[in-house]
Amino acid sequence: MTDKKREGRRGLRLSIGNFLKILPIRKKKIEDAPDSDVRKTGSYKPNELAGIIHPGLQHLIVTQVKDLTEDVKLYRLEADRENGCERLAPFGAGSYLTFEMTVGSGRCSRPYSICSSPKDAEKGFYEIAVRRTPGGVVSNYIHENWKEGTRVTAQEPAGEFLYEPVRDAKHVICLAGGTGITPFRSMVKAVLEGSEDFRIDLIYSARKEKELLFREELDGAAGTDERISVRYVLSDEEKAGYGTGFITKDMVAQAAQDGEPYSVFICGPQKMYRYLDGELKGLDLRKKYVRRELFGEIRDLSDEEDYVRPGADEFTLTVSQNGQRTAIRCRRDESLLCAMERAGIAAPSRCRSGVCGFCHSKLVNGSCYTPAQSDFRREADRLYGYIHPCCAYPLSDLEIDVPAAGKIKI
Ligand code: FES
């Protein structure tokens, strides 16, 4: 038997020994416990803990607004105690918050990556950065209406774009485009403060130097921690000290260490994902080592190879919810979720990218198109006619059965 195996068995024996010691203590606790159902007393620890980690909705208050660039603002949010939120739900670096709001007569939700760190949440705040996009209903609404003191509602933190030591390599090459830097800022802060431990090589691209966010902070992090390095790439400017053009596979290969496994994490605009898919092919990376943050709703269906544009520009979407049927209009280029929100129907949603399944609904009749890159439905859901309205687009008049929005109260 090797030393390693012997050590392993010894560890196992000790564990069993410890376990046996615990048994009489557990037995005594059970004997001493009250007869009442502790789950209903309000002091049942697992319930308390679950309530802290999964509060459902969180009432927050904007406590700081800062201009990062001409069109990007940073919002600091704290627990709104007057509205019953005592503390912020914890999160892992790379998570997002989905905000619920009413814009005009429509109900909307939007996910934004948390760009502050997990320890910042313990201290009492989250931060998000919002870029105002031309014609962007929600981003413009937020820029115009969120001030210090504004009360907002967000779902609990969610997301899959987290570092997972069992799956991901210890060396992560992070590719950020524009405001796609936000989850990486959280990861960099998490590594600095000790809530995460992995090496980050960040390649951050923007159109111009003035559009780079958190520049000083990122440089500061790279200067103080040898696990972090940052490189900038500008697509619309040529400047000394910056890469020019787009992030390339050669830049990624350069950041990789000889022979050592590395993961690639990507967050940026939709076009960047499409472009990087082609670039990264040449590096022959294992699938599990390439991770993408959510890319939101597909804006331009004409980029989808298998999309056949339907004959009409608008369809009737009948929504069955809570025993009520409502017929609304749905444009051929908007998701069923967007059409429902525009009509003021409270449909459940979270990631708006087809991933989380929160909007899962039954297609009763008619047909719709789901882009392959957003189709994360289970095989059984596909077989039994379930769709994700956040990434389903009408191909005919159709009817869907939508669950109630549950806890969403605004
Ligand atoms: S909102 Fe996540 S799958 Fe539709």
Side-chain angles (χ1 to χ4, degrees), residues 62-73:
V62 178
T63 55
Q64 240 181 62
V65 183
K66 206 166 137 187
D67 287 315
L68 294 179
T69 65
E70 271 170 21
D71 57 357
V72 182
K73 285 183 194 287

mmCIF file with all atom_site columns, all heavy atoms in Angstrom, residues 62-73:
data_model
loop_
_atom_site.group_PDB
_atom_site.id
_atom_site.type_symbol
_atom_site.label_atom_id
_atom_site.label_alt_id
_atom_site.label_comp_id
_atom_site.label_asym_id
_atom_site.label_entity_id
_atom_site.label_seq_id
_atom_site.pdbx_PDB_ins_code
_atom_site.Cartn_x
_atom_site.Cartn_y
_atom_site.Cartn_z
_atom_site.occupancy
_atom_site.B_iso_or_equiv
_atom_site.pdbx_formal_charge
_atom_site.auth_seq_id
_atom_site.auth_comp_id
_atom_site.auth_asym_id
_atom_site.auth_atom_id
_atom_site.pdbx_PDB_model_num
ATOM 1  N N   . VAL A 1 62 ? -31.249 53.054 -3.770  1.00 0.00 ? 62 VAL A N   1
ATOM 2  C CA  . VAL A 1 62 ? -30.047 53.580 -4.428  1.00 0.00 ? 62 VAL A CA  1
ATOM 3  C C   . VAL A 1 62 ? -29.406 54.572 -3.468  1.00 0.00 ? 62 VAL A C   1
ATOM 4  O O   . VAL A 1 62 ? -30.054 55.519 -3.013  1.00 0.00 ? 62 VAL A O   1
ATOM 5  C CB  . VAL A 1 62 ? -30.410 54.294 -5.755  1.00 0.00 ? 62 VAL A CB  1
ATOM 6  C CG1 . VAL A 1 62 ? -29.174 54.885 -6.413  1.00 0.00 ? 62 VAL A CG1 1
ATOM 7  C CG2 . VAL A 1 62 ? -31.122 53.341 -6.706  1.00 0.00 ? 62 VAL A CG2 1
ATOM 8  N N   . THR A 1 63 ? -28.135 54.348 -3.141  1.00 0.00 ? 63 THR A N   1
ATOM 9  C CA  . THR A 1 63 ? -27.484 55.256 -2.187  1.00 0.00 ? 63 THR A CA  1
ATOM 10 C C   . THR A 1 63 ? -26.364 56.079 -2.829  1.00 0.00 ? 63 THR A C   1
ATOM 11 O O   . THR A 1 63 ? -25.852 57.006 -2.208  1.00 0.00 ? 63 THR A O   1
ATOM 12 C CB  . THR A 1 63 ? -26.895 54.476 -0.985  1.00 0.00 ? 63 THR A CB  1
ATOM 13 O OG1 . THR A 1 63 ? -26.021 53.470 -1.483  1.00 0.00 ? 63 THR A OG1 1
ATOM 14 C CG2 . THR A 1 63 ? -27.989 53.849 -0.149  1.00 0.00 ? 63 THR A CG2 1
ATOM 15 N N   . GLN A 1 64 ? -25.972 55.723 -4.049  1.00 0.00 ? 64 GLN A N   1
ATOM 16 C CA  . GLN A 1 64 ? -24.902 56.486 -4.718  1.00 0.00 ? 64 GLN A CA  1
ATOM 17 C C   . GLN A 1 64 ? -25.036 56.315 -6.219  1.00 0.00 ? 64 GLN A C   1
ATOM 18 O O   . GLN A 1 64 ? -25.324 55.206 -6.693  1.00 0.00 ? 64 GLN A O   1
ATOM 19 C CB  . GLN A 1 64 ? -23.552 55.899 -4.327  1.00 0.00 ? 64 GLN A CB  1
ATOM 20 C CG  . GLN A 1 64 ? -22.622 56.872 -3.621  1.00 0.00 ? 64 GLN A CG  1
ATOM 21 C CD  . GLN A 1 64 ? -21.296 56.187 -3.313  1.00 0.00 ? 64 GLN A CD  1
ATOM 22 O OE1 . GLN A 1 64 ? -20.580 55.772 -4.221  1.00 0.00 ? 64 GLN A OE1 1
ATOM 23 N NE2 . GLN A 1 64 ? -20.996 56.062 -2.028  1.00 0.00 ? 64 GLN A NE2 1
ATOM 24 N N   . VAL A 1 65 ? -24.844 57.393 -6.962  1.00 0.00 ? 65 VAL A N   1
ATOM 25 C CA  . VAL A 1 65 ? -24.835 57.301 -8.425  1.00 0.00 ? 65 VAL A CA  1
ATOM 26 C C   . VAL A 1 65 ? -23.561 58.010 -8.896  1.00 0.00 ? 65 VAL A C   1
ATOM 27 O O   . VAL A 1 65 ? -23.268 59.117 -8.456  1.00 0.00 ? 65 VAL A O   1
ATOM 28 C CB  . VAL A 1 65 ? -26.064 58.007 -9.047  1.00 0.00 ? 65 VAL A CB  1
ATOM 29 C CG1 . VAL A 1 65 ? -26.063 57.839 -10.573 1.00 0.00 ? 65 VAL A CG1 1
ATOM 30 C CG2 . VAL A 1 65 ? -27.365 57.471 -8.462  1.00 0.00 ? 65 VAL A CG2 1
ATOM 31 N N   . LYS A 1 66 ? -22.804 57.344 -9.740  1.00 0.00 ? 66 LYS A N   1
ATOM 32 C CA  . LYS A 1 66 ? -21.538 57.919 -10.189 1.00 0.00 ? 66 LYS A CA  1
ATOM 33 C C   . LYS A 1 66 ? -21.436 57.773 -11.702 1.00 0.00 ? 66 LYS A C   1
ATOM 34 O O   . LYS A 1 66 ? -21.752 56.702 -12.239 1.00 0.00 ? 66 LYS A O   1
ATOM 35 C CB  . LYS A 1 66 ? -20.411 57.107 -9.536  1.00 0.00 ? 66 LYS A CB  1
ATOM 36 C CG  . LYS A 1 66 ? -19.119 57.837 -9.359  1.00 0.00 ? 66 LYS A CG  1
ATOM 37 C CD  . LYS A 1 66 ? -18.268 57.012 -8.400  1.00 0.00 ? 66 LYS A CD  1
ATOM 38 C CE  . LYS A 1 66 ? -16.846 56.940 -8.876  1.00 0.00 ? 66 LYS A CE  1
ATOM 39 N NZ  . LYS A 1 66 ? -16.035 56.026 -8.087  1.00 0.00 ? 66 LYS A NZ  1
ATOM 40 N N   . ASP A 1 67 ? -21.012 58.844 -12.389 1.00 0.00 ? 67 ASP A N   1
ATOM 41 C CA  . ASP A 1 67 ? -20.775 58.731 -13.840 1.00 0.00 ? 67 ASP A CA  1
ATOM 42 C C   . ASP A 1 67 ? -19.433 58.058 -14.059 1.00 0.00 ? 67 ASP A C   1
ATOM 43 O O   . ASP A 1 67 ? -18.403 58.568 -13.616 1.00 0.00 ? 67 ASP A O   1
ATOM 44 C CB  . ASP A 1 67 ? -20.730 60.134 -14.478 1.00 0.00 ? 67 ASP A CB  1
ATOM 45 C CG  . ASP A 1 67 ? -22.119 60.736 -14.545 1.00 0.00 ? 67 ASP A CG  1
ATOM 46 O OD1 . ASP A 1 67 ? -23.050 60.019 -14.948 1.00 0.00 ? 67 ASP A OD1 1
ATOM 47 O OD2 . ASP A 1 67 ? -22.266 61.923 -14.163 1.00 0.00 ? 67 ASP A OD2 1
ATOM 48 N N   . LEU A 1 68 ? -19.442 56.939 -14.764 1.00 0.00 ? 68 LEU A N   1
ATOM 49 C CA  . LEU A 1 68 ? -18.167 56.279 -15.087 1.00 0.00 ? 68 LEU A CA  1
ATOM 50 C C   . LEU A 1 68 ? -17.644 56.783 -16.423 1.00 0.00 ? 68 LEU A C   1
ATOM 51 O O   . LEU A 1 68 ? -16.438 56.966 -16.603 1.00 0.00 ? 68 LEU A O   1
ATOM 52 C CB  . LEU A 1 68 ? -18.356 54.760 -15.136 1.00 0.00 ? 68 LEU A CB  1
ATOM 53 C CG  . LEU A 1 68 ? -18.700 54.066 -13.813 1.00 0.00 ? 68 LEU A CG  1
ATOM 54 C CD1 . LEU A 1 68 ? -18.872 52.567 -14.018 1.00 0.00 ? 68 LEU A CD1 1
ATOM 55 C CD2 . LEU A 1 68 ? -17.620 54.306 -12.753 1.00 0.00 ? 68 LEU A CD2 1
ATOM 56 N N   . THR A 1 69 ? -18.536 56.940 -17.387 1.00 0.00 ? 69 THR A N   1
ATOM 57 C CA  . THR A 1 69 ? -18.199 57.551 -18.685 1.00 0.00 ? 69 THR A CA  1
ATOM 58 C C   . THR A 1 69 ? -19.419 58.372 -19.090 1.00 0.00 ? 69 THR A C   1
ATOM 59 O O   . THR A 1 69 ? -20.387 58.478 -18.326 1.00 0.00 ? 69 THR A O   1
ATOM 60 C CB  . THR A 1 69 ? -17.944 56.480 -19.776 1.00 0.00 ? 69 THR A CB  1
ATOM 61 O OG1 . THR A 1 69 ? -19.153 55.774 -20.013 1.00 0.00 ? 69 THR A OG1 1
ATOM 62 C CG2 . THR A 1 69 ? -16.850 55.509 -19.411 1.00 0.00 ? 69 THR A CG2 1
ATOM 63 N N   . GLU A 1 70 ? -19.396 58.888 -20.324 1.00 0.00 ? 70 GLU A N   1
ATOM 64 C CA  . GLU A 1 70 ? -20.535 59.693 -20.797 1.00 0.00 ? 70 GLU A CA  1
ATOM 65 C C   . GLU A 1 70 ? -21.848 58.912 -20.738 1.00 0.00 ? 70 GLU A C   1
ATOM 66 O O   . GLU A 1 70 ? -22.906 59.476 -20.496 1.00 0.00 ? 70 GLU A O   1
ATOM 67 C CB  . GLU A 1 70 ? -20.303 60.079 -22.263 1.00 0.00 ? 70 GLU A CB  1
ATOM 68 C CG  . GLU A 1 70 ? -19.553 61.381 -22.433 1.00 0.00 ? 70 GLU A CG  1
ATOM 69 C CD  . GLU A 1 70 ? -19.154 61.591 -23.870 1.00 0.00 ? 70 GLU A CD  1
ATOM 70 O OE1 . GLU A 1 70 ? -19.758 60.994 -24.778 1.00 0.00 ? 70 GLU A OE1 1
ATOM 71 O OE2 . GLU A 1 70 ? -18.196 62.361 -24.082 1.00 0.00 ? 70 GLU A OE2 1
ATOM 72 N N   . ASP A 1 71 ? -21.776 57.605 -21.005 1.00 0.00 ? 71 ASP A N   1
ATOM 73 C CA  . ASP A 1 71 ? -23.030 56.854 -21.082 1.00 0.00 ? 71 ASP A CA  1
ATOM 74 C C   . ASP A 1 71 ? -23.116 55.660 -20.129 1.00 0.00 ? 71 ASP A C   1
ATOM 75 O O   . ASP A 1 71 ? -23.991 54.822 -20.264 1.00 0.00 ? 71 ASP A O   1
ATOM 76 C CB  . ASP A 1 71 ? -23.301 56.398 -22.525 1.00 0.00 ? 71 ASP A CB  1
ATOM 77 C CG  . ASP A 1 71 ? -22.168 55.554 -23.078 1.00 0.00 ? 71 ASP A CG  1
ATOM 78 O OD1 . ASP A 1 71 ? -21.168 55.383 -22.361 1.00 0.00 ? 71 ASP A OD1 1
ATOM 79 O OD2 . ASP A 1 71 ? -22.279 55.058 -24.211 1.00 0.00 ? 71 ASP A OD2 1
ATOM 80 N N   . VAL A 1 72 ? -22.202 55.600 -19.163 1.00 0.00 ? 72 VAL A N   1
ATOM 81 C CA  . VAL A 1 72 ? -22.278 54.504 -18.177 1.00 0.00 ? 72 VAL A CA  1
ATOM 82 C C   . VAL A 1 72 ? -22.310 55.089 -16.769 1.00 0.00 ? 72 VAL A C   1
ATOM 83 O O   . VAL A 1 72 ? -21.472 55.919 -16.411 1.00 0.00 ? 72 VAL A O   1
ATOM 84 C CB  . VAL A 1 72 ? -21.070 53.537 -18.298 1.00 0.00 ? 72 VAL A CB  1
ATOM 85 C CG1 . VAL A 1 72 ? -21.203 52.383 -17.296 1.00 0.00 ? 72 VAL A CG1 1
ATOM 86 C CG2 . VAL A 1 72 ? -20.953 52.976 -19.715 1.00 0.00 ? 72 VAL A CG2 1
ATOM 87 N N   . LYS A 1 73 ? -23.281 54.632 -15.985 1.00 0.00 ? 73 LYS A N   1
ATOM 88 C CA  . LYS A 1 73 ? -23.373 55.079 -14.591 1.00 0.00 ? 73 LYS A CA  1
ATOM 89 C C   . LYS A 1 73 ? -23.212 53.882 -13.652 1.00 0.00 ? 73 LYS A C   1
ATOM 90 O O   . LYS A 1 73 ? -23.640 52.773 -13.978 1.00 0.00 ? 73 LYS A O   1
ATOM 91 C CB  . LYS A 1 73 ? -24.745 55.713 -14.316 1.00 0.00 ? 73 LYS A CB  1
ATOM 92 C CG  . LYS A 1 73 ? -24.932 57.115 -14.892 1.00 0.00 ? 73 LYS A CG  1
ATOM 93 C CD  . LYS A 1 73 ? -26.301 57.636 -14.478 1.00 0.00 ? 73 LYS A CD  1
ATOM 94 C CE  . LYS A 1 73 ? -26.722 58.857 -15.266 1.00 0.00 ? 73 LYS A CE  1
ATOM 95 N NZ  . LYS A 1 73 ? -26.010 60.081 -14.896 1.00 0.00 ? 73 LYS A NZ  1
#
